[in-house]
Amino acid sequence: MSGVAVVGSGNYSLEIDTGFVQDAFILDSVTAGVLNNTQYVLDGTTNFAEVLNGCTNVFVKRGRRDIGDQFSAGSMSFTLLDTSGIFNPFDEQSPYYDSTTQKPGLAPMRKIRLARYSNINVKEYLFTGYIVNYDYNFALGGIDTVTVYCADDFYLLAQTFFAEFNVSEQLSSARLSAVLDLPEVAFPIAQRDIATGTQTLGGSAAYTVDAGTNVLEYCSRIQQAEQGRLYMSRDGDITFDARLGNTLSGSVADFHDDGTNFKYNGVGITFEADQVINRASVTIAGGNTPQVAEDLASQGVYFIQTESITESLLHNDAAALTLAEYLLSGEPEARYTSVQTAFNMLTVAQRDSLAVIDIGDTITVEKTFASGAGTTELAQELAIEGIEHSINISNGHSIALFTSPTTIVFELVLDDAVYGVIAPSDNVLG
């Protein structure tokens, strides 16, 4: 097993693409038909080298902090102690130096993967992406260090631009797939996890995508019309969720401050006026009639607070009005916005469970408050919108989860006094 131990956290692996590619073995080929004394193997593969030894810290950031934010590229940074100089970009004798291309091992756009091994030695990726930059610090009289900055595949989409793209009326998920299929994008099919969308996007001339349009920006407009989620998963799949609505109760981790379940050492709470949207306006591409939804009662208390979307990809005004109504949020709600914990506070099983948590999962956060002469507890089920991992040799592994409110419903259970009733209740067919 590759990787090193971080006290109280588990075993980890930080792998970098060395740039050396082993070509596939081909029967009867004059060159690739010989296995001995060559680099040909049964299946062509890219070699990865372990670089975690000497690493002092790793920080991963994925997703978004608030449901109103757009998803951007996930990022990872880490710092290495270069005691032997092998990461020096000028060292042509480094084992990571590719003499065929004359590139150092930490060259930009080399693939990078961070993984954690579970208690039963199952390898789970926490981040996959590419090196985009690194800073080498020559420490006179000390140990040189290198800080490496990485981004996931959203970075590649952000660097890609359309040729002119003539679209047809189709579901948001079909539009996203069509974009990823374009020759100038060519996103691997094996790295897609696209749920069926609920919203239809327009296909008239007004929706034609101009040459030179940024691909990631356009994908974000698809997500804006759908109002779901669009992000890169921890193992490198582009993931698209349909419009967010009710969520079946099924918390994957219950965080409590009473010493039970998943312990935590930090929680964020918000109760702010800027959560309010009491006027929403949506105008479709090529349209000149904004579709407006208003909450007049909320405006009387919190004044007018507007969300405006122009050039929406939705196919008609009726869909735009439905979106405007969906965006309304007339009353601020006190809620937990984030929760943080350290792996050394958790059991082995809890660490394994929490390491593989991902965006869109549901968690529960419960906190005890002073109330008069006694105490009271408030628990909320929340959806995960963003994840941050911090791993270092001093404090081990900690994780921060950023959340959004969600409407929890329960699967109907026949003959149950509580969950066997359809209406009025929050019980639904599974």
Side-chain angles (χ1 to χ4, degrees):
M1 181 186 72
S2 300
V4 299
V6 176
V7 177
S9 301
N11 292 317
Y12 295 79
S13 174
L14 183 60
E15 303 169 326
I16 181 175
D17 172 11
T18 63
F20 302 111
V21 178
Q22 292 181 312
D23 295 323
F25 174 73
I26 304 173
L27 287 175
D28 300 326
S29 170
V30 174
T31 57
V34 181
L35 284 174
N36 293 332
N37 301 319
T38 72
Q39 292 192 59
Y40 299 114
V41 294
L42 293 180
D43 56 341
T45 183
T46 298
N47 283 338
F48 282 83
E50 179 62 59
V51 296
L52 194 56
N53 291 318
C55 182
T56 60
N57 61 77
V58 183
F59 181 73
V60 174
K61 180 179 179 180
R62 297 177 41 247
R64 57 186 179 181
R65 290 199 167 201
D66 187 82
I67 196 170
D69 299 335
Q70 286 288 349
F71 287 98
S72 57
S75 63
M76 178 174 70
S77 62
F78 58 93
T79 300
L80 301 172
L81 298 176
D82 196 9
T83 55
S84 57
I86 59 176
F87 297 116
N88 184 335
F90 304 113
D91 182 7
E92 297 183 5
Q93 303 304 312
S94 166
Y96 303 117
Y97 189 86
D98 185 355
S99 58
T100 59
T101 61
Q102 296 184 338
K103 290 183 178 180
L106 294 180
M109 302 318 296
R110 290 279 170 84
K111 294 195 71 171
I112 191 86
R113 307 187 299 201
L114 172 68
R116 179 184 183 275
Y117 291 87
S118 73
N119 186 51
I120 58 173
N121 206 28
V122 175
K123 186 178 184 179
E124 297 282 2
Y125 289 108
L126 306 185
F127 181 88
T128 62
Y130 300 86
I131 294 173
V132 294
N133 185 28
Y134 69 96
D135 295 332
Y136 197 94
N137 178 39
F138 293 100
L140 299 179
I143 299 176
D144 295 342
T145 61
V146 57
T147 302
V148 185
Y149 303 94
C150 315
D152 63 22
D153 282 73
F154 264 19
Y155 176 84
L156 300 184
L157 294 179
Q159 305 302 311
T160 306
F161 297 85
F162 285 96
E164 185 175 286
F165 181 35
N166 296 307
V167 299
S168 58
E169 190 170 293
Q170 59 195 157
L171 286 177
S172 56
S173 51
R175 178 69 56 82
L176 179 60
S177 295
V179 168
L180 299 178
D181 286 339
L182 291 171
E184 62 267 35
V185 181
F187 197 91
I189 294 177
Q191 290 179 235
R192 304 182 192 180
D193 184 7
I194 300 175
T196 301
T198 64
Q199 303 303 305
T200 300
L201 307 187
S204 65
Y207 296 87
T208 298
V209 183
D210 294 333
T213 299
N214 183 273
V215 170
L216 182 59
E217 179 183 334
Y218 186 79
C219 291
S220 296
R221 291 179 64 194
I222 296 175
Q223 184 272 332
Q224 182 187 60
E226 178 64 38
Q227 288 294 312
R229 297 186 182 95
L230 178 65
Y231 61 95
M232 296 300 303
S233 69
R234 59 185 176 81
D235 52 0
D237 288 347
I238 188 169
T239 305
F240 179 73
D241 295 335
R243 179 167 290 187
L244 305 182
N246 295 341
T247 301
L248 273 176
S249 179
S251 175
V252 299
D254 294 339
F255 292 89
H256 291 191
D257 66 343
D258 59 3
T260 65
N261 294 293
F262 286 73
K263 301 175 184 178
Y264 63 86
N265 55 15
V267 63
I269 302 175
T270 185
F271 189 33
E272 300 174 353
D274 62 7
Q275 298 176 39
V276 172
I277 299 173
N278 51 33
R279 185 180 190 276
S281 173
V282 180
T283 307
I284 63 173
N288 54 15
T289 309
Q291 301 300 301
V292 178
E294 298 189 82
D295 184 334
L296 299 179
S298 174
Q299 291 177 13
V301 178
Y302 301 106
F303 306 100
I304 296 176
Q305 301 196 55
T306 301
E307 172 83 6
S308 179
I309 297 175
T310 59
E311 295 296 309
S312 171
L313 297 182
L314 291 169
H315 71 301
N316 61 26
D317 285 342
L321 180 58
T322 298
L323 174 55
E325 293 168 344
Y326 174 88
L327 293 173
L328 290 178
S329 180
E331 293 288 335
E333 178 185 0
R335 67 176 180 88
Y336 304 123
T337 57
S338 63
V339 63
Q340 300 91 40
T341 190
F343 276 37
N344 58 18
M345 300 171 60
L346 307 175
T347 68
V348 171
Q350 288 174 337
R351 296 170 197 162
D352 288 349
S353 175
L354 201 56
V356 298
I357 207 166
D358 212 341
I359 296 164
D361 287 339
T362 301
I363 61 172
T364 300
V365 179
E366 181 178 290
K367 192 178 188 312
T368 303
F369 299 92
S371 178
T375 60
T376 185
E377 293 181 343
L378 174 64
Q380 293 180 337
E381 287 198 46
L382 304 159
I384 296 175
E385 299 294 332
I387 299 174
E388 293 181 1
H389 292 275
S390 178
I391 306 170
N392 62 68
I393 58 176
S394 299
N395 302 316
H397 188 169
S398 62
I399 188 171
L401 305 174
F402 298 90
T403 64
S404 66
T406 186
T407 302
I408 300 295
V409 294
F410 301 89
E411 191 168 355
L412 183 71
V413 180
L414 292 178
D415 299 325
D416 188 280
V418 177
Y419 301 111
V421 180
I422 294 182
S425 74
D426 289 326
N427 303 325
V428 298
L429 295 175

